[in-house]
PDB file of all heavy atoms in Angstrom:
ATOM      1  N   MET B 820     -21.557 -17.534  13.741  1.00  0.00           N
ATOM      2  CA  MET B 820     -21.370 -16.226  14.369  1.00  0.00           C
ATOM      3  C   MET B 820     -20.748 -16.348  15.764  1.00  0.00           C
ATOM      4  O   MET B 820     -21.381 -16.843  16.699  1.00  0.00           O
ATOM      5  CB  MET B 820     -22.722 -15.507  14.495  1.00  0.00           C
ATOM      6  CG  MET B 820     -22.970 -14.542  13.346  1.00  0.00           C
ATOM      7  SD  MET B 820     -21.681 -13.292  13.194  1.00  0.00           S
ATOM      8  CE  MET B 820     -21.501 -13.233  11.410  1.00  0.00           C
ATOM      9  N   ALA B 840      -7.914  -1.602  10.201  1.00  0.00           N
ATOM     10  CA  ALA B 840      -7.908  -2.919  10.835  1.00  0.00           C
ATOM     11  C   ALA B 840      -7.233  -2.854  12.203  1.00  0.00           C
ATOM     12  O   ALA B 840      -7.687  -3.497  13.163  1.00  0.00           O
ATOM     13  CB  ALA B 840      -7.190  -3.928   9.935  1.00  0.00           C
ATOM     14  N   LEU B 856      -5.039 -10.308  15.437  1.00  0.00           N
ATOM     15  CA  LEU B 856      -5.204  -9.449  14.261  1.00  0.00           C
ATOM     16  C   LEU B 856      -5.669 -10.254  13.056  1.00  0.00           C
ATOM     17  O   LEU B 856      -6.463  -9.770  12.255  1.00  0.00           O
ATOM     18  CB  LEU B 856      -3.879  -8.773  13.936  1.00  0.00           C
ATOM     19  CG  LEU B 856      -3.834  -7.278  13.690  1.00  0.00           C
ATOM     20  CD1 LEU B 856      -2.616  -6.927  12.865  1.00  0.00           C
ATOM     21  CD2 LEU B 856      -5.079  -6.758  12.992  1.00  0.00           C
ATOM     22  N   ALA B 857      -5.167 -11.462  12.932  1.00  0.00           N
ATOM     23  CA  ALA B 857      -5.562 -12.295  11.792  1.00  0.00           C
ATOM     24  C   ALA B 857      -7.066 -12.533  11.786  1.00  0.00           C
ATOM     25  O   ALA B 857      -7.700 -12.538  10.736  1.00  0.00           O
ATOM     26  CB  ALA B 857      -4.817 -13.619  11.828  1.00  0.00           C
ATOM     27  N   TYR B 860      -8.721  -9.420  10.469  1.00  0.00           N
ATOM     28  CA  TYR B 860      -8.644  -9.352   9.009  1.00  0.00           C
ATOM     29  C   TYR B 860      -9.587 -10.359   8.369  1.00  0.00           C
ATOM     30  O   TYR B 860     -10.289 -10.058   7.422  1.00  0.00           O
ATOM     31  CB  TYR B 860      -7.215  -9.608   8.534  1.00  0.00           C
ATOM     32  CG  TYR B 860      -6.369  -8.367   8.522  1.00  0.00           C
ATOM     33  CD1 TYR B 860      -5.406  -8.142   9.492  1.00  0.00           C
ATOM     34  CD2 TYR B 860      -6.534  -7.405   7.520  1.00  0.00           C
ATOM     35  CE1 TYR B 860      -4.620  -7.000   9.477  1.00  0.00           C
ATOM     36  CE2 TYR B 860      -5.751  -6.265   7.495  1.00  0.00           C
ATOM     37  CZ  TYR B 860      -4.795  -6.066   8.478  1.00  0.00           C
ATOM     38  OH  TYR B 860      -4.032  -4.940   8.458  1.00  0.00           O
ATOM     39  N   ARG B 861      -9.579 -11.577   8.900  1.00  0.00           N
ATOM     40  CA  ARG B 861     -10.452 -12.590   8.306  1.00  0.00           C
ATOM     41  C   ARG B 861     -11.916 -12.194   8.439  1.00  0.00           C
ATOM     42  O   ARG B 861     -12.713 -12.371   7.513  1.00  0.00           O
ATOM     43  CB  ARG B 861     -10.186 -13.951   8.967  1.00  0.00           C
ATOM     44  CG  ARG B 861      -8.889 -14.586   8.446  1.00  0.00           C
ATOM     45  CD  ARG B 861      -8.703 -16.019   8.946  1.00  0.00           C
ATOM     46  NE  ARG B 861      -8.241 -16.059  10.321  1.00  0.00           N
ATOM     47  CZ  ARG B 861      -7.164 -16.738  10.741  1.00  0.00           C
ATOM     48  NH1 ARG B 861      -6.428 -17.416   9.881  1.00  0.00           N
ATOM     49  NH2 ARG B 861      -6.824 -16.742  12.001  1.00  0.00           N
ATOM     50  N   GLN B 864     -12.687  -9.373   6.009  1.00  0.00           N
ATOM     51  CA  GLN B 864     -12.826  -9.923   4.660  1.00  0.00           C
ATOM     52  C   GLN B 864     -14.183 -10.587   4.480  1.00  0.00           C
ATOM     53  O   GLN B 864     -14.845 -10.416   3.467  1.00  0.00           O
ATOM     54  CB  GLN B 864     -11.748 -10.976   4.404  1.00  0.00           C
ATOM     55  CG  GLN B 864     -10.388 -10.402   4.069  1.00  0.00           C
ATOM     56  CD  GLN B 864      -9.340 -11.509   4.008  1.00  0.00           C
ATOM     57  OE1 GLN B 864      -9.676 -12.684   3.893  1.00  0.00           O
ATOM     58  NE2 GLN B 864      -8.075 -11.131   4.097  1.00  0.00           N
ATOM     59  N   LYS B 880      -3.406   2.017   3.506  1.00  0.00           N
ATOM     60  CA  LYS B 880      -3.899   1.081   4.511  1.00  0.00           C
ATOM     61  C   LYS B 880      -5.363   0.792   4.229  1.00  0.00           C
ATOM     62  O   LYS B 880      -6.108   1.663   3.808  1.00  0.00           O
ATOM     63  CB  LYS B 880      -3.773   1.678   5.918  1.00  0.00           C
ATOM     64  CG  LYS B 880      -2.453   1.392   6.596  1.00  0.00           C
ATOM     65  CD  LYS B 880      -2.396   2.033   7.969  1.00  0.00           C
ATOM     66  CE  LYS B 880      -3.637   1.785   8.814  1.00  0.00           C
ATOM     67  NZ  LYS B 880      -3.540   2.466  10.135  1.00  0.00           N
ATOM     68  N   LEU B 881      -5.751  -0.432   4.498  1.00  0.00           N
ATOM     69  CA  LEU B 881      -7.152  -0.786   4.298  1.00  0.00           C
ATOM     70  C   LEU B 881      -7.994  -0.175   5.407  1.00  0.00           C
ATOM     71  O   LEU B 881      -7.631  -0.227   6.574  1.00  0.00           O
ATOM     72  CB  LEU B 881      -7.323  -2.309   4.314  1.00  0.00           C
ATOM     73  CG  LEU B 881      -6.591  -3.087   3.227  1.00  0.00           C
ATOM     74  CD1 LEU B 881      -6.846  -4.572   3.373  1.00  0.00           C
ATOM     75  CD2 LEU B 881      -7.023  -2.598   1.866  1.00  0.00           C
TER      76      LEU B 881
ATOM     77  P    DT D 314       1.185  -0.202   9.978  1.00  0.00           P
ATOM     78  OP1  DT D 314       0.517   1.103   9.957  1.00  0.00           O
ATOM     79  OP2  DT D 314       1.338  -0.948  11.239  1.00  0.00           O
ATOM     80  O5'  DT D 314       0.463  -1.145   8.917  1.00  0.00           O
ATOM     81  C5'  DT D 314       0.352  -0.673   7.584  1.00  0.00           C
ATOM     82  C4'  DT D 314       0.016  -1.800   6.661  1.00  0.00           C
ATOM     83  O4'  DT D 314       1.062  -2.789   6.702  1.00  0.00           O
ATOM     84  C3'  DT D 314      -1.282  -2.536   6.979  1.00  0.00           C
ATOM     85  O3'  DT D 314      -2.083  -2.543   5.794  1.00  0.00           O
ATOM     86  C2'  DT D 314      -0.839  -3.935   7.388  1.00  0.00           C
ATOM     87  C1'  DT D 314       0.481  -4.067   6.640  1.00  0.00           C
ATOM     88  N1   DT D 314       1.439  -5.036   7.228  1.00  0.00           N
ATOM     89  C2   DT D 314       1.972  -6.021   6.430  1.00  0.00           C
ATOM     90  O2   DT D 314       1.694  -6.145   5.251  1.00  0.00           O
ATOM     91  N3   DT D 314       2.855  -6.871   7.057  1.00  0.00           N
ATOM     92  C4   DT D 314       3.241  -6.828   8.380  1.00  0.00           C
ATOM     93  O4   DT D 314       4.039  -7.646   8.826  1.00  0.00           O
ATOM     94  C5   DT D 314       2.644  -5.768   9.156  1.00  0.00           C
ATOM     95  C7   DT D 314       2.998  -5.643  10.607  1.00  0.00           C
ATOM     96  C6   DT D 314       1.793  -4.926   8.560  1.00  0.00           C
ATOM     97  P    DT D 315      -3.550  -3.130   5.884  1.00  0.00           P
ATOM     98  OP1  DT D 315      -4.295  -2.481   4.797  1.00  0.00           O
ATOM     99  OP2  DT D 315      -4.066  -3.094   7.255  1.00  0.00           O
ATOM    100  O5'  DT D 315      -3.307  -4.649   5.468  1.00  0.00           O
ATOM    101  C5'  DT D 315      -2.843  -4.922   4.149  1.00  0.00           C
ATOM    102  C4'  DT D 315      -2.528  -6.382   4.004  1.00  0.00           C
ATOM    103  O4'  DT D 315      -1.488  -6.747   4.932  1.00  0.00           O
ATOM    104  C3'  DT D 315      -3.699  -7.336   4.296  1.00  0.00           C
ATOM    105  O3'  DT D 315      -4.010  -8.020   3.085  1.00  0.00           O
ATOM    106  C2'  DT D 315      -3.178  -8.282   5.373  1.00  0.00           C
ATOM    107  C1'  DT D 315      -1.669  -8.107   5.262  1.00  0.00           C
ATOM    108  N1   DT D 315      -0.901  -8.378   6.489  1.00  0.00           N
ATOM    109  C2   DT D 315       0.041  -9.384   6.469  1.00  0.00           C
ATOM    110  O2   DT D 315       0.278 -10.054   5.475  1.00  0.00           O
ATOM    111  N3   DT D 315       0.715  -9.579   7.644  1.00  0.00           N
ATOM    112  C4   DT D 315       0.533  -8.880   8.822  1.00  0.00           C
ATOM    113  O4   DT D 315       1.207  -9.151   9.828  1.00  0.00           O
ATOM    114  C5   DT D 315      -0.462  -7.841   8.792  1.00  0.00           C
ATOM    115  C7   DT D 315      -0.740  -7.020  10.015  1.00  0.00           C
ATOM    116  C6   DT D 315      -1.124  -7.635   7.626  1.00  0.00           C
ATOM    117  P    DT D 316      -5.084  -9.171   3.051  1.00  0.00           P
ATOM    118  OP1  DT D 316      -5.688  -9.143   1.714  1.00  0.00           O
ATOM    119  OP2  DT D 316      -5.920  -9.081   4.257  1.00  0.00           O
ATOM    120  O5'  DT D 316      -4.204 -10.487   3.167  1.00  0.00           O
ATOM    121  C5'  DT D 316      -3.055 -10.614   2.345  1.00  0.00           C
ATOM    122  C4'  DT D 316      -2.383 -11.945   2.591  1.00  0.00           C
ATOM    123  O4'  DT D 316      -1.700 -11.907   3.859  1.00  0.00           O
ATOM    124  C3'  DT D 316      -3.347 -13.142   2.665  1.00  0.00           C
ATOM    125  O3'  DT D 316      -2.854 -14.112   1.753  1.00  0.00           O
ATOM    126  C2'  DT D 316      -3.268 -13.603   4.110  1.00  0.00           C
ATOM    127  C1'  DT D 316      -1.897 -13.133   4.528  1.00  0.00           C
ATOM    128  N1   DT D 316      -1.718 -12.829   5.969  1.00  0.00           N
ATOM    129  C2   DT D 316      -0.723 -13.459   6.680  1.00  0.00           C
ATOM    130  O2   DT D 316       0.025 -14.278   6.180  1.00  0.00           O
ATOM    131  N3   DT D 316      -0.625 -13.089   7.992  1.00  0.00           N
ATOM    132  C4   DT D 316      -1.412 -12.171   8.661  1.00  0.00           C
ATOM    133  O4   DT D 316      -1.231 -11.922   9.853  1.00  0.00           O
ATOM    134  C5   DT D 316      -2.443 -11.551   7.863  1.00  0.00           C
ATOM    135  C7   DT D 316      -3.355 -10.545   8.496  1.00  0.00           C
ATOM    136  C6   DT D 316      -2.544 -11.904   6.567  1.00  0.00           C
ATOM    137  P    DT D 317      -3.630 -15.470   1.514  1.00  0.00           P
ATOM    138  OP1  DT D 317      -3.438 -15.798   0.095  1.00  0.00           O
ATOM    139  OP2  DT D 317      -4.969 -15.343   2.084  1.00  0.00           O
ATOM    140  O5'  DT D 317      -2.828 -16.540   2.386  1.00  0.00           O
ATOM    141  C5'  DT D 317      -1.410 -16.519   2.346  1.00  0.00           C
ATOM    142  C4'  DT D 317      -0.866 -17.640   3.213  1.00  0.00           C
ATOM    143  O4'  DT D 317      -0.705 -17.172   4.563  1.00  0.00           O
ATOM    144  C3'  DT D 317      -1.742 -18.894   3.297  1.00  0.00           C
ATOM    145  O3'  DT D 317      -0.883 -20.023   3.260  1.00  0.00           O
ATOM    146  C2'  DT D 317      -2.411 -18.761   4.650  1.00  0.00           C
ATOM    147  C1'  DT D 317      -1.304 -18.083   5.451  1.00  0.00           C
ATOM    148  N1   DT D 317      -1.744 -17.290   6.626  1.00  0.00           N
ATOM    149  C2   DT D 317      -1.002 -17.345   7.775  1.00  0.00           C
ATOM    150  O2   DT D 317      -0.002 -18.025   7.883  1.00  0.00           O
ATOM    151  N3   DT D 317      -1.472 -16.563   8.801  1.00  0.00           N
ATOM    152  C4   DT D 317      -2.579 -15.756   8.780  1.00  0.00           C
ATOM    153  O4   DT D 317      -2.900 -15.102   9.763  1.00  0.00           O
ATOM    154  C5   DT D 317      -3.319 -15.746   7.549  1.00  0.00           C
ATOM    155  C7   DT D 317      -4.546 -14.907   7.425  1.00  0.00           C
ATOM    156  C6   DT D 317      -2.869 -16.509   6.534  1.00  0.00           C
ATOM    157  P    DG D 318      -1.404 -21.490   3.022  1.00  0.00           P
ATOM    158  OP1  DG D 318      -0.779 -21.991   1.786  1.00  0.00           O
ATOM    159  OP2  DG D 318      -2.877 -21.482   3.165  1.00  0.00           O
ATOM    160  O5'  DG D 318      -0.777 -22.264   4.261  1.00  0.00           O
ATOM    161  C5'  DG D 318       0.571 -21.981   4.661  1.00  0.00           C
ATOM    162  C4'  DG D 318       0.947 -22.821   5.857  1.00  0.00           C
ATOM    163  O4'  DG D 318       0.670 -22.098   7.074  1.00  0.00           O
ATOM    164  C3'  DG D 318       0.196 -24.139   5.988  1.00  0.00           C
ATOM    165  O3'  DG D 318       1.067 -25.092   6.595  1.00  0.00           O
ATOM    166  C2'  DG D 318      -0.976 -23.785   6.882  1.00  0.00           C
ATOM    167  C1'  DG D 318      -0.360 -22.732   7.815  1.00  0.00           C
ATOM    168  N9   DG D 318      -1.268 -21.682   8.256  1.00  0.00           N
ATOM    169  C8   DG D 318      -2.231 -21.049   7.509  1.00  0.00           C
ATOM    170  N7   DG D 318      -2.876 -20.123   8.182  1.00  0.00           N
ATOM    171  C5   DG D 318      -2.294 -20.144   9.444  1.00  0.00           C
ATOM    172  C6   DG D 318      -2.576 -19.363  10.592  1.00  0.00           C
ATOM    173  O6   DG D 318      -3.414 -18.468  10.728  1.00  0.00           O
ATOM    174  N1   DG D 318      -1.746 -19.712  11.659  1.00  0.00           N
ATOM    175  C2   DG D 318      -0.790 -20.689  11.624  1.00  0.00           C
ATOM    176  N2   DG D 318      -0.104 -20.884  12.746  1.00  0.00           N
ATOM    177  N3   DG D 318      -0.516 -21.418  10.555  1.00  0.00           N
ATOM    178  C4   DG D 318      -1.309 -21.098   9.506  1.00  0.00           C
ATOM    179  P    DC D 319       0.673 -26.615   6.746  1.00  0.00           P
ATOM    180  OP1  DC D 319       1.910 -27.411   6.540  1.00  0.00           O
ATOM    181  OP2  DC D 319      -0.542 -26.885   5.944  1.00  0.00           O
ATOM    182  O5'  DC D 319       0.281 -26.692   8.291  1.00  0.00           O
ATOM    183  C5'  DC D 319       1.064 -25.982   9.260  1.00  0.00           C
ATOM    184  C4'  DC D 319       0.445 -26.160  10.620  1.00  0.00           C
ATOM    185  O4'  DC D 319      -0.345 -24.989  10.958  1.00  0.00           O
ATOM    186  C3'  DC D 319      -0.511 -27.352  10.730  1.00  0.00           C
ATOM    187  O3'  DC D 319      -0.327 -27.976  11.979  1.00  0.00           O
ATOM    188  C2'  DC D 319      -1.880 -26.700  10.624  1.00  0.00           C
ATOM    189  C1'  DC D 319      -1.616 -25.409  11.398  1.00  0.00           C
ATOM    190  N1   DC D 319      -2.593 -24.327  11.128  1.00  0.00           N
ATOM    191  C2   DC D 319      -2.839 -23.376  12.128  1.00  0.00           C
ATOM    192  O2   DC D 319      -2.233 -23.464  13.189  1.00  0.00           O
ATOM    193  N3   DC D 319      -3.739 -22.384  11.882  1.00  0.00           N
ATOM    194  C4   DC D 319      -4.367 -22.335  10.711  1.00  0.00           C
ATOM    195  N4   DC D 319      -5.237 -21.341  10.515  1.00  0.00           N
ATOM    196  C5   DC D 319      -4.123 -23.288   9.681  1.00  0.00           C
ATOM    197  C6   DC D 319      -3.236 -24.263   9.926  1.00  0.00           C
ATOM    198  P    DA D 324     -18.347 -21.168  21.357  1.00  0.00           P
ATOM    199  OP1  DA D 324     -18.395 -19.738  21.697  1.00  0.00           O
ATOM    200  OP2  DA D 324     -18.726 -22.189  22.360  1.00  0.00           O
ATOM    201  O5'  DA D 324     -19.195 -21.398  20.039  1.00  0.00           O
ATOM    202  C5'  DA D 324     -18.747 -20.788  18.813  1.00  0.00           C
ATOM    203  C4'  DA D 324     -19.492 -21.383  17.640  1.00  0.00           C
ATOM    204  O4'  DA D 324     -18.976 -22.710  17.364  1.00  0.00           O
ATOM    205  C3'  DA D 324     -21.005 -21.540  17.890  1.00  0.00           C
ATOM    206  O3'  DA D 324     -21.686 -21.096  16.732  1.00  0.00           O
ATOM    207  C2'  DA D 324     -21.182 -23.035  18.126  1.00  0.00           C
ATOM    208  C1'  DA D 324     -20.033 -23.640  17.341  1.00  0.00           C
ATOM    209  N9   DA D 324     -19.480 -24.858  17.921  1.00  0.00           N
ATOM    210  C8   DA D 324     -19.103 -25.083  19.223  1.00  0.00           C
ATOM    211  N7   DA D 324     -18.612 -26.272  19.446  1.00  0.00           N
ATOM    212  C5   DA D 324     -18.668 -26.893  18.201  1.00  0.00           C
ATOM    213  C6   DA D 324     -18.300 -28.183  17.791  1.00  0.00           C
ATOM    214  N6   DA D 324     -17.777 -29.104  18.588  1.00  0.00           N
ATOM    215  N1   DA D 324     -18.487 -28.488  16.475  1.00  0.00           N
ATOM    216  C2   DA D 324     -18.994 -27.562  15.668  1.00  0.00           C
ATOM    217  N3   DA D 324     -19.388 -26.308  15.960  1.00  0.00           N
ATOM    218  C4   DA D 324     -19.202 -26.041  17.259  1.00  0.00           C
ATOM    219  P    DG D 325     -23.246 -20.873  16.819  1.00  0.00           P
ATOM    220  OP1  DG D 325     -23.520 -19.710  15.944  1.00  0.00           O
ATOM    221  OP2  DG D 325     -23.662 -20.888  18.233  1.00  0.00           O
ATOM    222  O5'  DG D 325     -23.840 -22.186  16.143  1.00  0.00           O
ATOM    223  C5'  DG D 325     -23.515 -22.467  14.780  1.00  0.00           C
ATOM    224  C4'  DG D 325     -24.119 -23.801  14.405  1.00  0.00           C
ATOM    225  O4'  DG D 325     -23.339 -24.855  15.035  1.00  0.00           O
ATOM    226  C3'  DG D 325     -25.564 -23.982  14.870  1.00  0.00           C
ATOM    227  O3'  DG D 325     -26.344 -24.517  13.811  1.00  0.00           O
ATOM    228  C2'  DG D 325     -25.475 -24.985  16.013  1.00  0.00           C
ATOM    229  C1'  DG D 325     -24.225 -25.761  15.659  1.00  0.00           C
ATOM    230  N9   DG D 325     -23.509 -26.300  16.840  1.00  0.00           N
ATOM    231  C8   DG D 325     -23.436 -25.722  18.079  1.00  0.00           C
ATOM    232  N7   DG D 325     -22.733 -26.433  18.938  1.00  0.00           N
ATOM    233  C5   DG D 325     -22.329 -27.543  18.201  1.00  0.00           C
ATOM    234  C6   DG D 325     -21.555 -28.647  18.588  1.00  0.00           C
ATOM    235  O6   DG D 325     -21.048 -28.880  19.685  1.00  0.00           O
ATOM    236  N1   DG D 325     -21.376 -29.546  17.528  1.00  0.00           N
ATOM    237  C2   DG D 325     -21.891 -29.388  16.264  1.00  0.00           C
ATOM    238  N2   DG D 325     -21.615 -30.330  15.401  1.00  0.00           N
ATOM    239  N3   DG D 325     -22.627 -28.338  15.895  1.00  0.00           N
ATOM    240  C4   DG D 325     -22.798 -27.465  16.912  1.00  0.00           C
TER     241       DG D 325
END
Side-chain angles (χ1 to χ4, degrees):
Chain B
M820 264 303 139
L856 229 203
Y860 274 105
R861 283 188 282 233
Q864 281 173 18
K880 271 179 47 181
L881 298 180

